């Protein structure tokens, strides 16, 4: 009897110990998750963030918890620098890229701030990326065109790294990412503006890298400068991609480079083809921004009234085999193929000039490489796509756009190509959060499709 009593007491002790240990393990789990996310938030760039994601995935965090944490975002330091921050520098394998940052003196890390990325003119006159070299910012000025309270980001372009180049797309993405890791940026109110060469380069960015930006505001620029062979633009360009975002355009009637009479037919072509355009011709203006005091309020009103939709229900995107993978928000073109006789007829190609006169029907930009295009529309859990020349693509699925508990039906050119449920994945969620650094554009699953 005594032996049995001792054994019973020992069993009770073991059970109590297990309960204590279990409670400790349960209590420790949030600490592990917290530590993993602290390391993720502390990453200085997308590459470091990607290296921090396995710890988050292996922490045991649930998908809903990870999603909620990513939507809340990182904590922002109240001691972040304010005012005009000059001579900032990003180093890369492509060279040193200088930029300037202007942060409101009243910056409050608890608020989200609009950002204007402003591209300067005179690119081909600059011999170096060092802003102390030849050439100036703005039209010929040294700072931003001051408007609403916001953060201003002013990169530097030069002869060997003009705005119409792949290295500058990478640079814009990298320095915008750096700003978002330090300051509380409203991801859906990042506007890309430019003056003169900066405005021309802005069209290049809109046709190549639409995802980060809410709107495009070219001032004293001209789309068709990009067709000049002397610029040696490094890829083929697709004006149809301009359908994805709105444009605020200003040109002067007395501008010796890009006068209204030369620019307006192409602005009308874009607007008549479905691009959202607010055009402000200034008949009295030359190649300068002397009109800014009059245009500042309409400019800022346009930006305020056109926030970005991070998960748009309609997308149109086209890319060549030279630029893959090529992405617009939640659509990624992975592989293209030569056009075939039975390919679906797409909606109108904006590369064909629609205006009257001798240019009617002519191509804006030359074609030659293999290219593919996708036009898609999302309604609930249904995605309808028309494609031409696309062999493989990926749809990035957000729980904010799709109901993962129900089948997601995807049709391509009238045929169902997928009709299953999406399995949410913490690994996928963290992968794209590391790349995008965007609280409003989070993806819990990838749908890879090979098209017949």
């Amino acid at each position: 009897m005594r032996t049995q009593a001792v054994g019973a007491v020992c069993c009770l002790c073991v059970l109590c110990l297990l309960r204590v240990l279990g409670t400790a393990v349960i209590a420790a789990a949030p600490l592990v998750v917290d530590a993993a996310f602290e390391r993720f938030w502390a990453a200085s760039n997308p590459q470091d963030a990607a290296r921090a994601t396995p710890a988050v995935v292996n922490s045991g965090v649930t998908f809903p918890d990870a999603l909620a944490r990513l939507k809340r975002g990182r904590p922002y330091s109240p001691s972040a620098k304010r005012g005009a921050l000059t001579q900032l520098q990003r180093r890369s394998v492509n060279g040193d890229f200088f930029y300037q940052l202007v942060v409101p003196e009243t910056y409050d890390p608890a608020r989200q701030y609009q950002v204007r990325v402003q591209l300067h003119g005179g690119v081909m006159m600059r011999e170096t990326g060092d802003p102390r070299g030849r050439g100036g910012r703005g039209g010929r000025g040294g700072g931003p065109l001051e408007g609403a309270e916001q953060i201003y980001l002013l990169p530097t372009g030069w002869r060997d790294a003009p705005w119409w180049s792949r290295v500058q797309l990478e640079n814009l993405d990298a320095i915008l990412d750096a700003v978002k890791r330090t300051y509380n940026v409203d991801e859906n109110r990042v506007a890309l503006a430019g003056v003169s060469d900066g405005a021309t380069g802005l069209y290049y960015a809109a046709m190549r890298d639409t995802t980060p930006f809410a709107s495009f505001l070219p001032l004293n620029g001209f789309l068709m400068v990009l067709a000049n062979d002397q610029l040696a633009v490094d890829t083929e360009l697709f004006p149809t991609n301009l359908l994805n975002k709105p444009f605020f355009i200003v040109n002067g009637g007395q501008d010796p480079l890009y006068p209204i009479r030369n620019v307006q037919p192409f602005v009308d072509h874009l607007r008549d083809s479905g691009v959202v355009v607010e055009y402000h011709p200034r008949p009295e203006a030359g190649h300068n921004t002397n009109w800014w005091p009059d245009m500042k309020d309409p400019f800022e009103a346009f930006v305020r009234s056109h926030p970005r939709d991070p998960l748009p229900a309609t997308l149109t995107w086209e890319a060549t085999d030279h630029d893959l993978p090529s992405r617009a928000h939640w659509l990624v073109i992975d592989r293209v193929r030569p056009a075939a006789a039975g390919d679906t007829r797409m909606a109108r190609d904006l590369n064909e000039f629609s205006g009257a006169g001798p240019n009617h029907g002519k191509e804006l930009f030359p074609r030659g490489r293999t290219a593919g295009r996708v036009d898609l529309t999302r309604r609930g859990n249904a995605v309808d796509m028309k494609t031409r020349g696309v062999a493989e693509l990926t749809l990035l699925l957000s729980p904010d756009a799709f109901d993962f508990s129900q089948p997601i039906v995807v049709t391509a050119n009238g045929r169902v190509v997928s009709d299953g449920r999406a399995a949410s994945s913490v690994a996928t969620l963290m992968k794209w959060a590391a790349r995008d650094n965007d609280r409003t554009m989070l993806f819990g699953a990838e749908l890879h499709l090979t098209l017949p």
Side-chain angles (χ1 to χ4, degrees):
M1 291 291 293
R2 186 172 183 277
T3 302
Q4 290 177 343
V6 171
V9 170
C10 290
C11 288
L12 287 171
C13 291
V14 169
L15 288 172
C16 290
L17 180 61
L18 288 174
R19 287 194 185 101
V20 171
L21 289 175
T23 301
V25 170
I26 292 170
L31 298 179
V32 173
V33 175
D34 289 346
F37 266 95
E38 285 177 10
R39 183 184 170 199
F40 179 80
W41 293 133
S44 59
N45 54 51
Q47 295 75 29
D48 287 346
R51 286 188 281 270
T53 58
V56 175
V57 175
N58 295 330
S59 71
V61 66
T62 65
F63 183 87
D65 185 16
L67 181 65
R69 288 170 180 261
L70 291 172
K71 286 186 175 184
R72 287 195 300 270
R74 62 175 51 78
Y76 291 95
S77 171
S79 60
K81 293 182 179 180
R82 295 158 172 80
L85 310 177
T86 60
Q87 299 299 311
L88 298 176
Q89 184 177 6
R90 167 184 167 260
R91 291 191 167 179
S92 76
V93 295
N94 296 310
D96 293 343
F97 292 81
F98 293 86
Y99 62 99
Q100 181 180 353
L101 190 64
V102 182
V103 180
E105 293 288 356
T106 56
Y107 170 78
D108 177 358
R111 285 179 51 200
Q112 292 188 357
Y113 283 77
Q114 175 181 303
V115 171
R116 188 203 303 165
V117 183
Q118 185 172 309
L119 310 183
H120 64 75
V123 168
M124 303 310 287
M125 298 191 304
R126 300 182 70 100
E127 299 171 353
T128 172
D130 189 328
R132 294 167 296 187
R134 285 182 55 201
R137 293 189 179 277
R140 287 289 181 264
L145 296 169
E146 294 186 6
E149 184 183 53
Q150 62 194 301
I151 296 171
Y152 297 94
L153 178 56
L154 300 106
T156 299
W158 67 99
R159 185 179 302 163
D160 294 330
W163 301 127
W164 41 86
S165 64
R166 190 185 310 268
V167 295
Q168 279 292 358
L169 286 185
E170 295 171 355
N171 181 51
L172 293 180
D173 286 344
I175 61 178
L176 178 58
D177 174 84
V179 172
K180 288 160 62 178
R181 293 181 186 276
T182 304
Y183 298 94
N184 193 356
V185 167
D186 185 340
E187 296 97 329
N188 294 323
R189 294 189 182 276
V190 178
L192 183 59
V195 179
S196 189
D197 278 352
T200 297
L202 175 155
Y203 285 110
Y204 174 91
M207 289 186 275
R208 297 286 317 283
D209 189 24
T210 190
T211 304
F213 303 108
S215 55
F216 296 94
L217 300 99
L219 313 174
N220 297 345
F222 187 21
L223 169 68
M224 294 312 299
V225 174
L226 296 171
N228 188 333
D229 291 339
Q230 293 182 355
L231 291 189
V233 174
D234 57 8
T235 190
E236 292 183 6
L237 299 175
F238 298 94
T240 302
N241 292 349
L242 301 178
L243 288 165
N244 294 293
K245 297 291 167 63
F247 286 76
F248 181 99
I249 303 174
V250 179
N251 286 100
Q254 307 304 313
D255 188 333
L257 299 178
Y258 317 124
I260 293 169
R261 65 179 180 276
N262 292 348
V263 174
Q264 182 145 0
F266 294 90
V267 173
D268 291 343
H269 162 68
L270 296 179
R271 184 164 47 198
D272 294 345
S273 300
V275 179
V276 175
V277 173
E278 185 174 313
Y279 187 43
H280 293 270
R282 304 286 299 188
E284 81 291 349
H287 193 71
N288 55 58
T289 54
N290 292 341
W291 40 257
W292 179 248
D294 295 330
M295 294 306 305
K296 177 175 68 174
D297 288 345
F299 179 105
E300 295 292 1
F302 179 88
V303 173
R304 283 194 304 273
S305 63
H306 292 88
R308 183 189 68 159
D309 181 351
L311 304 167
T314 60
L315 282 170
T316 294
W317 201 243
E318 191 166 6
T320 72
D321 55 354
H322 180 62
D323 300 314
L324 302 179
S326 184
R327 177 186 173 194
H329 292 264
W330 54 283
L331 165 66
V332 184
I333 297 177
D334 296 310
R335 187 166 65 88
V336 298
R337 57 166 176 76
D343 278 352
T344 299
R345 182 176 178 81
M346 307 295 287
R348 208 177 91 207
D349 186 350
L350 271 65
N351 199 47
E352 297 177 6
F353 184 67
S354 60
N359 291 321
H360 179 77
K362 290 186 177 180
E363 287 188 336
L364 303 187
F365 300 101
R367 291 283 182 268
R369 301 191 68 95
T370 300
R373 173 177 164 182
V374 179
D375 296 350
L376 66 74
T377 302
R378 183 190 73 241
R379 295 183 180 87
N381 266 30
V383 180
D384 180 56
M385 303 189 300
K386 290 185 178 181
T387 71
R388 181 190 64 213
V390 176
E392 295 179 22
L393 60 82
T394 301
L395 299 180
L396 307 178
L397 306 181
S398 171
D400 293 325
F402 294 95
D403 181 355
F404 282 23
S405 69
Q406 300 298 318
I408 297 173
V409 180
V410 182
T411 59
N413 304 323
R415 299 175 58 180
V416 175
V417 291
S418 180
D419 60 359
R421 287 183 173 86
S424 59
S425 162
V426 173
T428 300
L429 183 68
M430 298 307 300
K431 167 187 170 182
W432 289 100
R435 293 186 186 186
D436 292 339
N437 189 19
D438 191 321
R439 293 165 291 189
T440 68
M441 192 171 64
L442 299 165
F443 303 106
E446 299 177 359
L447 182 58
H448 303 281
L449 297 172
T450 299
L451 303 182

